[in-house]
Protein backbone atom coordinates (compact mmCIF):
# COMPACT_ATOMS: atom_id res chain seq x y z
CA UNK A 1 0.00 0.00 0.00
CA UNK A 2 1.32 3.44 -0.95
CA UNK A 3 1.80 6.01 1.83
CA UNK A 4 -0.27 9.11 1.03
CA UNK A 5 1.37 12.36 2.15
CA UNK A 6 0.06 15.91 2.50
CA UNK A 7 2.71 18.64 2.57
CA UNK A 8 1.86 21.85 4.46
CA UNK A 9 4.46 24.62 4.25
CA UNK A 10 4.07 28.29 3.40
CA UNK A 11 7.45 28.51 1.63
CA UNK A 12 7.51 27.61 -2.08
CA UNK A 13 11.21 26.73 -1.96
CA UNK A 14 10.69 24.29 0.91
CA UNK A 15 7.66 22.69 -0.76
CA UNK A 16 9.68 22.25 -3.97
CA UNK A 17 12.60 20.65 -2.08
CA UNK A 18 10.33 18.27 -0.17
CA UNK A 19 8.42 17.41 -3.35
CA UNK A 20 11.72 16.40 -4.97
CA UNK A 21 12.70 14.27 -1.96
CA UNK A 22 9.35 12.48 -1.88
CA UNK A 23 9.22 12.07 -5.67
CA UNK A 24 12.08 9.59 -5.64
CA UNK A 25 10.20 7.11 -3.45
CA UNK A 26 7.79 4.71 -5.18
CA UNK A 27 6.09 3.83 -1.85
CA UNK A 28 5.17 7.49 -1.20
CA UNK A 29 2.50 9.50 -3.02
CA UNK A 30 2.28 13.26 -2.47
CA UNK A 31 -1.49 13.72 -2.68
CA UNK A 32 -1.76 17.45 -1.92
CA UNK A 33 0.04 20.59 -0.80
CA UNK A 34 -1.19 23.31 1.53
CA UNK A 35 0.19 26.80 2.18
CA UNK A 36 -1.32 27.34 5.64
CA UNK A 37 -2.94 25.57 8.59
CA UNK A 38 -6.54 26.08 7.42
CA UNK A 39 -5.72 24.64 4.02
CA UNK A 40 -3.93 21.68 5.63
CA UNK A 41 -7.07 20.81 7.57
CA UNK A 42 -9.25 21.11 4.46
CA UNK A 43 -6.84 19.03 2.36
CA UNK A 44 -6.66 16.38 5.09
CA UNK A 45 -10.44 16.07 5.01
CA UNK A 46 -10.44 15.83 1.22
CA UNK A 47 -7.44 13.53 0.58
CA UNK A 48 -7.19 11.57 3.88
CA UNK A 49 -3.39 11.25 3.87
CA UNK A 50 -1.55 8.81 6.09
CA UNK A 51 1.11 11.43 6.96
CA UNK A 52 0.93 15.24 7.10
CA UNK A 53 4.28 17.02 6.89
CA UNK A 54 3.52 20.21 8.82
CA UNK A 55 5.63 23.37 8.99
CA UNK A 56 5.08 24.66 12.53
CA UNK A 57 5.58 28.32 11.67
CA UNK A 58 3.07 29.21 8.97
CA UNK A 59 1.54 32.70 8.99
CA UNK A 60 -2.09 31.86 9.77
CA UNK A 61 -1.29 30.27 13.13
CA UNK A 62 -2.84 33.17 15.07
CA UNK A 63 -6.29 32.26 13.71
CA UNK A 64 -6.15 28.57 14.61
CA UNK A 65 -4.88 27.09 17.83
CA UNK A 66 -2.49 24.15 17.67
CA UNK A 67 -5.17 22.06 19.39
CA UNK A 68 -7.72 22.90 16.65
CA UNK A 69 -5.26 22.01 13.90
CA UNK A 70 -4.06 18.85 15.63
CA UNK A 71 -7.60 17.63 16.26
CA UNK A 72 -8.54 18.41 12.66
CA UNK A 73 -5.63 16.38 11.30
CA UNK A 74 -5.99 13.48 13.73
CA UNK A 75 -9.74 13.20 13.05
CA UNK A 76 -8.73 11.44 9.84
CA UNK A 77 -6.00 9.38 11.58
CA UNK A 78 -3.22 11.28 9.84
CA UNK A 79 0.18 11.05 11.50
CA UNK A 80 1.66 14.53 11.90
CA UNK A 81 5.35 14.95 11.08
CA UNK A 82 6.36 18.46 12.18
CA UNK A 83 9.22 20.36 10.55
CA UNK A 84 10.96 23.49 11.79
CA UNK A 85 14.24 25.37 11.59
CA UNK A 86 14.12 25.55 15.39
CA UNK A 87 14.38 22.52 17.65
CA UNK A 88 14.43 23.90 21.18
CA UNK A 89 12.09 22.84 23.99
CA UNK A 90 9.45 25.44 23.03
CA UNK A 91 9.38 24.15 19.46
CA UNK A 92 9.16 20.55 20.65
CA UNK A 93 6.22 21.52 22.88
CA UNK A 94 4.57 23.32 19.95
CA UNK A 95 5.01 20.24 17.75
CA UNK A 96 3.39 18.07 20.40
CA UNK A 97 0.50 20.51 20.74
CA UNK A 98 -0.16 20.07 17.01
CA UNK A 99 -0.29 16.33 17.60
CA UNK A 100 3.03 15.62 15.91
CA UNK A 101 4.56 12.20 16.35
CA UNK A 102 7.98 13.56 15.47
CA UNK A 103 9.81 16.82 14.85
CA UNK A 104 12.46 17.12 12.15
CA UNK A 105 15.00 19.87 11.64
CA UNK A 106 14.41 21.40 8.19
CA UNK A 107 18.16 21.52 7.62
CA UNK A 108 18.35 17.70 7.90
CA UNK A 109 15.34 16.74 5.78
CA UNK A 110 17.48 15.28 2.99
CA UNK A 111 18.68 12.61 5.40
CA UNK A 112 15.74 12.18 7.79
CA UNK A 113 12.49 12.86 5.91
CA UNK A 114 12.00 9.63 3.97
CA UNK A 115 12.75 7.28 6.91
CA UNK A 116 10.38 9.30 9.13
CA UNK A 117 7.56 9.25 6.55
CA UNK A 118 8.02 5.52 6.01
CA UNK A 119 7.96 4.84 9.76
CA UNK A 120 4.89 7.00 10.44
CA UNK A 121 3.07 5.89 7.30
CA UNK A 122 3.51 2.22 8.04
CA UNK A 123 1.07 2.33 10.93
CA UNK A 124 -1.37 5.22 10.50
CA UNK A 125 -4.18 6.60 8.42
CA UNK A 126 -7.28 5.14 6.78
CA UNK A 127 -6.93 1.41 6.31
CA UNK A 128 -3.95 1.20 8.68
CA UNK A 129 -4.02 -1.00 11.75
CA UNK A 130 -2.35 1.10 14.45
CA UNK A 131 -1.68 4.79 15.05
CA UNK A 132 1.96 5.89 15.11
CA UNK A 133 3.73 5.76 18.45
CA UNK A 134 5.26 8.93 19.79
CA UNK A 135 8.84 9.59 18.71
CA UNK A 136 9.35 12.28 21.35
CA UNK A 137 10.55 9.84 24.04
Amino acid sequence: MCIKVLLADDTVVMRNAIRILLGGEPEIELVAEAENFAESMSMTRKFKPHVVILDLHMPDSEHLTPMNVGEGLRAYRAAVLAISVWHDEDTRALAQSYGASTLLDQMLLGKELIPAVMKLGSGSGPGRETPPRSLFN
Side-chain angles (χ1 to χ4, degrees), residues 88-110:
D88 57 15
E89 287 304 313
D90 288 342
T91 304
R92 290 175 65 83
L94 181 62
Q96 287 181 313
S97 69
Y98 278 111
S101 298
T102 193
L103 170 62
L104 297 182
D105 185 329
Q106 284 183 340
M107 302 307 289
L108 301 175
L109 290 182

Side-chain angles (χ1 to χ4, degrees), residues 1-6 22 25-31 48-52 79 114-125 128:
M1 177 185 256
C2 196
I3 298 169
K4 298 190 305 184
V5 174
L6 167 71
L22 297 176
E25 293 298 321
E27 299 92 14
I28 297 173
E29 176 188 6
L30 182 60
V31 294
K48 297 175 181 53
H50 302 115
V51 177
V52 176
I114 299 304
V117 168
M118 299 297 283
K119 186 170 191 162
L120 292 176
S122 67
S124 68
R128 305 291 171 127

Side-chain angles (χ1 to χ4, degrees), residues 6-19 30 32-37 39-40 52-60 81-85 104 106 109:
L6 167 71
L7 170 58
D9 195 300
D10 62 314
T11 309
V12 173
V13 172
M14 186 57 68
R15 286 197 315 271
N16 288 342
I18 293 172
R19 189 181 314 116
L30 182 60
E33 295 181 25
E35 296 181 11
N36 56 55
F37 291 111
E39 224 176 64
S40 70
V52 176
I53 300 171
L54 186 71
D55 173 13
L56 295 178
H57 306 287
M58 292 189 282
D60 69 335
L81 192 162
I83 59 175
S84 177
V85 294
L104 297 182
Q106 284 183 340
L109 290 182

